[in-house]
Amino acid sequence: MGVSVTAAGSAEAEVLRTAMVEKLTGLGWGGIRSASVEAAMRTVPRHLFVPDATLERAYAQDSVVTHRDERRVAISSASGPGVVAAQLEQLDVQPGHRVLEIGAGTGYNAACLAELAGSEGQVTAVDIGAEIVAEAREHLAAAGYPDVRVVQGDGHLGYPEGAPYDRIIVTAGAWDVPTAWREQLAPGGRLVVPLRVKGISRSVALELDGEVWRSVSIEERGFMPMRGPEAIGEFNAELPPKRGMWIRADDGLPVDLQALGAAVDTTPAQAWSGVVVPWVPFDHLDYWLAGASAQVCRILVSSHAVEEGLIKPLYSWGSMGLYTHDSFAYLIRRPAADTETSGGAETVELGACAYGPRATQLADELVSRLQEWEQAKPHRAALRIEVHPAAAAPSDLAAMITAEKRESTVFVISDQT
């Protein structure tokens, strides 16, 4: 059992905070890269923003869920420290900057932003939840950041009263890039947003070129979807009930739960790609899998369902996949013959598992896309994103993914396209 915050002294919190930061600075990817972000995260007392958590939990690497809806679905949390650090690095806040945060959460991120912006800067956080706003204000005041402004409102509209902003950061999954964010950003500014494209969430740093957003960095990070009148929620359902397998789909595409639920009881088909890679974060693999399909999904399988015979997905949090009205497929892995690379990382072979009448067809399609991703290795790191106003989106832009939204059209572009 951990030590509660109320019973712990500041010395113990400082030890844990130092350990948290040192772990983030030691990461080979993501994490802390700059002295300014390191200083901010060493300074802000994270435990004061999650007062119901133990000190160990407050300074662990995982997120801390703070609010759930009536169905017990998480709607707000303190993001894991690694996620916070990665987004702060993407945002590149400088002293004196005016910063808008969309999604107040616990207030921790706003406190880090305040450290980065300094006494001459200004941080405003907006959230749609009245209770979340009230708690964030309390946490910020208790931690010594009373000048951070936290307001209730719909984040899709930004906060025009404080505009223009040098930086805008979104800390919830956004399906679209609203016009309001472009209008409220100062010239030369930057937007960091966890952008959902065909069910794939990436934290994208965008800068404006006229009315077109162009990416300057893309990080693999997942976030809870935004809420509000303009939000597009993910479809999330169990297949079938009480079996421990879920499907998540985006863009309002149809999902036949009855037919897909029946598919779970069919004999699975497995196919292996011959693609052997180190077990480290993959270069934009999900984008390659989604590029040619209108119906992509994410499949999650619980540990007890795996014990009962369902096939384990690529990651513990699920795998990218494809689906039709009666069948679905998702990524899997197995140890490769050569178990270690020269860097000491485990190597795995990537493959596909599929259920339903079209299982073999879908598994083969996933394997084909894995092989295309492997062949594109020289170009993968150069992948970029452009976001155009919906009314002015070009029709002849070569892209591996084109996603039409309400206010924008998103293009995911590879040098190969």
Side-chain angles (χ1 to χ4, degrees), residues 135-155:
E135 290 179 1
R137 288 172 178 165
E138 292 174 4
H139 299 158
L140 285 160
Y145 299 92
D147 293 335
V148 172
R149 178 168 49 187
V150 186
V151 297
Q152 185 179 4
D154 184 354

Side-chain angles (χ1 to χ4, degrees), residues 47-130:
H47 62 283
L48 296 183
F49 294 87
V50 283
D52 293 332
T54 64
L55 276 179
E56 291 89 342
R57 183 83 175 101
Y59 289 104
Q61 293 300 312
D62 298 328
S63 61
V64 179
V65 175
T66 55
H67 291 272
R68 297 181 184 272
D69 64 15
E70 64 279 358
R71 298 173 298 156
R72 301 298 299 160
V73 175
I75 59 173
S76 186
S77 70
S79 295
V83 173
V84 173
Q87 274 207 310
L88 293 178
E89 293 288 4
Q90 285 185 289
L91 196 63
D92 188 29
V93 175
Q94 299 298 315
H97 272 171
R98 298 173 61 84
V99 185
L100 174 65
E101 180 188 28
I102 296 172
T106 64
Y108 173 72
N109 204 66
C112 291
L113 292 169
E115 287 288 338
L116 293 167
S119 59
E120 299 301 315
Q122 175 63 53
V123 177
T124 300
V126 58
D127 200 289
I128 199 167

Side-chain angles (χ1 to χ4, degrees), residues 198 287-296 365 369 372 400-401:
K198 286 198 170 185
Y287 283 135
W288 255 264
L289 300 182
S293 175
Q295 295 197 143
V296 295
E365 184 175 350
R369 296 190 193 185
E372 290 174 5
M400 63 190 302
I401 298 176

